[in-house]
Amino acid sequence: MPLEIRPQTMDLKTSDLYLGYGSSPVIDGLNFVVPAGKITAIIGANGSGKSTLLRGLSRVLKPTSGSVLLNGRDIHEQSTKAVARQVGLLPQGPTAPSGLTVMDLVRRGRYPHQRIFDQWSSEDETSVRKALALTKLSDSAGVLVDHLSGGQRQRAWIAMALAQDAHLMLLDEPTTYLDIAHQVEILELLKKLNIEEARTVVMVLHDINQGSRYADHVVAMLNGDVFIQGAPDEVVTASMMEKVFGLKAVVIADPATGTPLCVPDAPENA
Amino acid sequence: MRPEAITAPSPVTLAVLVVSIVAVAVLISFTAVLEPSPRSLRTKRLSMLVDLRVVRLCGGASALLVLLTLLGLEIGEYPIPRFQAISTAFWDRAGEYSFVVNSLRFPRVVTAVLAGFCLASSGALFQTLLNNPLVSPDVIGINTGAALCAVFVLAIGADVGLLPWAAFAGAVVTAGTIYLLAWKKGITGNRLVLVGIGINALLASGITYLMVKFPIEQVLAAARWQAGSLFGASWSDAWTLTVAIACLTPPAWILVRRLRLIQLGDDMASSLGLRVERERTAIILVASGYAAVAVAVIGPLGFVALLVPHIVRLVAGPLTGGTLVLTGVVGALFLLACDLIAQQLFAPTTLPVGVITAALGGPYFLFILVRYNRAP
């Protein structure tokens, strides 16, 4: 990977972060640094706080205590638009209102760059064109989002997040509900964005093998804290699978890429 | 109320009605030919995206509105020689028919236009905010709240001048109550709709109670006002609406862009740099304000706020600053047309305009309901 085109110092980390919805915290005193310029996959069991962490990192959820620091400053003390120009979020299973065209959707991603009297600058137009081209949707700009296939629709949402021009993109299960070919398509797209556009990507994934194949850095979460993190072959091991997911698993080398491939152990061995 | 029995419309009236309905249908189908044509508009300090199609539609609707306004001045119970009414309204203001034209017809037409603009704008904002085509201020109880206060004022025999203020207070208090009751770590569209429907029922029973409780002579005026009527609209009504539109439209324009992000979901909107709850509160206030002022002036008129934004969305697509204006203009057109029909259909007996909007809106409501339920 070309290390030269790393983004301008973009540094997002959490400091003793507590996040939660009621009285009991979901994220419990987390200190975590987002690896800049890399693809990070967050894995973990249901309820381990993956999505909550993503929402906290993107300013959507306010911490109960502790803070999320963007370039050293608390994101809740910065201008919301300034944060949005640097950090973008694609939530899980977003829904578009009916009657919306792809073009209209992608344009809305430009909001953090616009002002009341400056609503459609030439930069806005360039960014939207580029986002459509990168996601191969230039020819479908006028199509209604309702009429797209699942894979195209997800690409349209990614195009919207791209148009936001944030160096850091947070994606919550971007491949869920897609068939395997479209899953690969989305992950290849994200990889391309990481390499060619020098974007930092953080995504929550359910499929551990996709995580170890596409991510530079894997974070395994357990009970609202990071259990282990590092390169895929350090993290994706049989012992991690047992502790984080409570599943006896066999880890072998992926015959296609050599990255760790993890399959559940046969029941008679478990 | 006039004593004459309701008479059947004359063949001429019927023919005019049929022709105008066909004309409107042709016009609507004509808009399908127009493709969306976005144009970038840029100067040193200003840049925006303008959809020429919406501009054309706005122009067409405004032209129709002017024609209909002139027609509204021309026709009425009192016979005035052809084109005399128009000249009396615009340049010969001291003419022979000055009272009929300048004190009765002109303010009534202008009030219908402005109130229609307010109701439709309110409906567009509510429907987009809650992402539900069945929502409008009359469905979630804003109009009923205004009506309850107004009926109370009429029933206790207080000064009629208080009526608009009472209605306004009722609408705003109702909006606030619904919002507070629906608040549970934020507002979701569905909860707000359900709470609104409950509040609406509660307020409606309150009105019924007042109607039964107070003597019939006193509640008769309230009953008429409640049906929604432009009868007796004055220049001061038109002024009230003008001031309200002037105050509410600039914030509505600014809020539309944020509303378009809230449409994509709260998390999305928030990550795009919006303080979602604050913006949502502002949008509800502006939308309630539009509804309240219209109800205060012409009564809790149903269906305009429901039907017009839906039709405009079908023709012109999702809400933008441009389509918000278009919605307002079409609302004005719709209410004015309904009022002219209400005056002419069973002439010389005039109906409250609310009867016509309900007669057209009821079936349309069912149509949306069926469509909405069949949608995947």
Side-chain angles (χ1 to χ4, degrees):
Chain A
M1 277 188 354
L3 282 155
E4 315 79 60
I5 48 167
R6 283 288 162 263
Q8 304 90 308
T9 50
M10 226 295 309
D11 150 51
L12 187 72
K13 62 185 173 194
T14 73
S15 153
D16 292 325
L17 181 69
Y18 287 83
L19 292 168
Y21 302 96
S23 47
S24 59
V26 180
I27 295 293
D28 203 355
L30 180 69
N31 286 294
F32 172 66
V33 180
V34 173
K38 292 187 175 170
I39 297 184
T40 301
I42 303 178
I43 59 172
N46 291 331
S48 59
K50 307 180 298 275
S51 300
T52 307
L53 174 60
L54 232 49
R55 298 180 78 220
L57 288 175
S58 59
R59 206 192 55 85
V60 171
L61 193 63
K62 216 176 154 118
T64 42
S65 82
S67 51
V68 177
L69 303 169
L70 178 63
N71 298 328
R73 282 176 61 211
D74 191 329
I75 51 168
H76 287 275
E77 282 162 14
Q78 301 186 37
S79 133
T80 55
K81 278 186 167 180
V83 174
R85 284 193 290 266
Q86 299 171 75
V87 183
L89 170 74
L90 183 60
Q92 192 182 345
T95 48
S98 59
L100 190 73
T101 61
V102 172
M103 189 59 158
D104 192 357
L105 175 67
V106 177
R107 272 182 198 144
R108 295 184 191 198
R110 291 299 297 169
Y111 177 77
H113 299 269
Q114 297 166 338
R115 278 167 298 172
I116 290 176
F117 294 107
D118 191 13
Q119 298 186 2
W120 190 243
S121 64
S122 39
E123 294 89 76
D124 291 335
E125 198 161 339
T126 317
S127 281
V128 167
R129 275 224 189 97
K130 200 170 140 200
L132 287 170
L134 279 166
T135 49
K136 300 199 184 89
L137 284 170
S138 303
D139 296 334
S140 318
V143 179
L144 293 182
V145 177
D146 315 331
H147 293 172
L148 296 176
S149 70
Q152 284 177 314
R153 194 173 307 158
Q154 189 64 328
R155 285 209 314 257
W157 282 99
I158 290 176
M160 197 218 72
L162 280 174
Q164 193 176 340
D165 269 340
H167 283 300
L168 176 60
M169 293 177 69
L170 307 168
L171 304 102
D172 196 353
E173 296 191 20
T175 56
T176 305
Y177 306 124
L178 299 181
D179 63 44
I180 183 139
H182 285 118
Q183 290 184 12
V184 169
E185 182 188 276
I186 296 292
L187 291 164
E188 288 292 342
L189 169 64
L190 293 173
K191 190 169 182 172
K192 186 172 141 187
L193 293 174
N194 171 252
I195 294 170
E196 293 176 10
E197 298 263 302
R199 307 228 192 191
T200 303
V201 175
V202 178
M203 55 188 171
V204 168
L205 286 179
H206 261 307
D207 189 324
I208 294 150
N209 297 330
Q210 285 179 351
S212 53
R213 194 183 258 223
Y214 285 95
D216 309 306
H217 192 83
V218 178
V219 177
M221 291 192 66
L222 181 66
N223 300 329
D225 206 347
V226 171
F227 176 74
I228 182 173
Q229 58 177 319
D233 46 3
E234 294 162 18
V235 174
V236 182
T237 59
S239 93
M240 182 282 287
M241 289 303 291
E242 176 137 27
K243 282 172 186 140
V244 169
F245 292 93
L247 179 79
K248 277 207 186 293
V250 178
V251 176
I252 54 171
D254 187 326
T257 56
T259 51
L261 180 75
C262 154
V263 288
D265 204 352
E268 55 268 30
N269 298 339
Chain B
M1 287 275 196
R2 301 171 57 92
E4 293 100 314
I6 289 179
T7 49
S10 68
V12 178
T13 320
L14 263 183
V16 169
L17 272 179
V18 171
V19 167
S20 47
I21 289 171
V22 170
V24 169
V26 168
L27 279 175
I28 290 177
S29 60
F30 177 71
T31 60
V33 182
L34 293 175
E35 285 287 308
S37 45
R39 293 281 183 285
S40 311
L41 197 75
R42 290 197 189 101
T43 63
K44 234 178 200 168
R45 301 228 171 130
L46 187 106
S47 73
M48 61 197 293
L49 192 66
V50 181
D51 188 348
L52 276 187
R53 184 175 67 146
V54 174
V55 173
R56 284 196 201 109
L57 288 171
C58 267
S62 306
L64 272 179
L65 189 59
V66 170
L67 288 178
L68 207 59
T69 303
L70 297 180
L71 188 69
L73 291 172
E74 281 290 312
I75 61 176
E77 268 180 272
Y78 191 85
I80 295 177
R82 196 168 297 166
F83 303 122
Q84 278 274 5
I86 294 174
S87 65
T88 308
F90 292 105
W91 51 91
D92 187 17
R93 290 192 57 92
E96 190 184 346
Y97 304 101
S98 178
F99 175 73
V100 174
V101 174
N102 290 329
S103 300
L104 299 179
R105 289 188 195 168
F106 205 3
R108 179 178 186 149
V109 165
V110 173
T111 303
V113 165
L114 298 174
F117 186 95
C118 287
L119 285 171
S121 305
S122 171
L125 293 173
F126 271 120
Q127 287 181 1
T128 307
L129 180 67
L130 302 176
N131 202 12
N132 189 331
L134 298 171
V135 172
S136 65
D138 39 308
V139 174
I140 62 169
I142 311 275
N143 289 8
T144 321
L148 179 66
C149 287
V151 167
F152 183 72
V153 165
L154 289 167
I156 61 170
D159 183 9
V160 185
L162 279 176
L163 198 138
W165 296 105
F168 186 78
V172 172
V173 169
T174 309
T177 311
I178 296 168
Y179 193 64
L180 287 179
L181 286 177
W183 178 279
K184 191 183 172 193
K185 279 182 271 162
I187 293 283
T188 67
N190 286 340
R191 193 164 47 225
L192 196 127
V193 173
L194 291 175
V195 168
I197 289 171
I199 296 273
N200 192 25
L202 204 67
L203 294 169
S205 68
I207 294 179
T208 312
Y209 173 77
L210 288 179
M211 299 293 254
V212 178
K213 170 91 175 155
F214 284 89
I216 184 83
E217 316 81 68
Q218 273 165 263
V219 293
L220 208 61
R224 189 174 170 78
W225 178 82
Q226 241 198 297
S229 174
L230 286 154
F231 182 79
S234 64
W235 282 118
S236 82
D237 291 336
W239 268 114
T240 310
L241 288 164
T242 308
V243 170
I245 289 174
C247 294
L248 291 169
T249 303
W253 257 62
I254 293 172
L255 289 169
V256 161
R257 290 177 56 233
R258 304 176 185 173
L259 177 54
R260 282 157 56 77
L261 301 186
I262 295 179
Q263 267 194 306
L264 306 178
D266 286 6
D267 283 9
M268 200 59 147
S270 181
S271 77
L272 283 166
L274 231 55
R275 294 181 203 276
V276 177
E277 290 308 334
R278 199 177 73 176
E279 305 298 345
R280 205 194 319 262
T281 310
I283 292 162
I284 289 178
L285 271 179
V286 170
S288 301
Y290 271 129
V293 75
V295 172
V297 169
I298 60 163
L301 195 64
F303 296 106
V304 178
L306 180 94
L307 181 148
V308 173
H310 193 262
I311 293 178
V312 172
R313 215 166 29 247
L314 282 182
V315 172
L319 194 67
T320 62
T323 56
L324 182 66
V325 173
L326 181 62
T327 309
V329 175
V330 174
L333 204 55
F334 178 74
L335 187 54
L336 183 55
C338 283
D339 188 44
L340 293 180
I341 294 172
Q343 288 181 60
Q344 292 300 310
L345 188 60
F346 295 108
T349 306
T350 60
L351 301 171
V353 65
V355 174
I356 303 297
T357 58
L360 293 173
Y364 194 79
F365 184 75
L366 292 175
F367 162 74
I368 306 175
L369 199 64
V370 170
R371 255 182 77 104
Y372 188 61
N373 279 344
R374 285 195 189 146

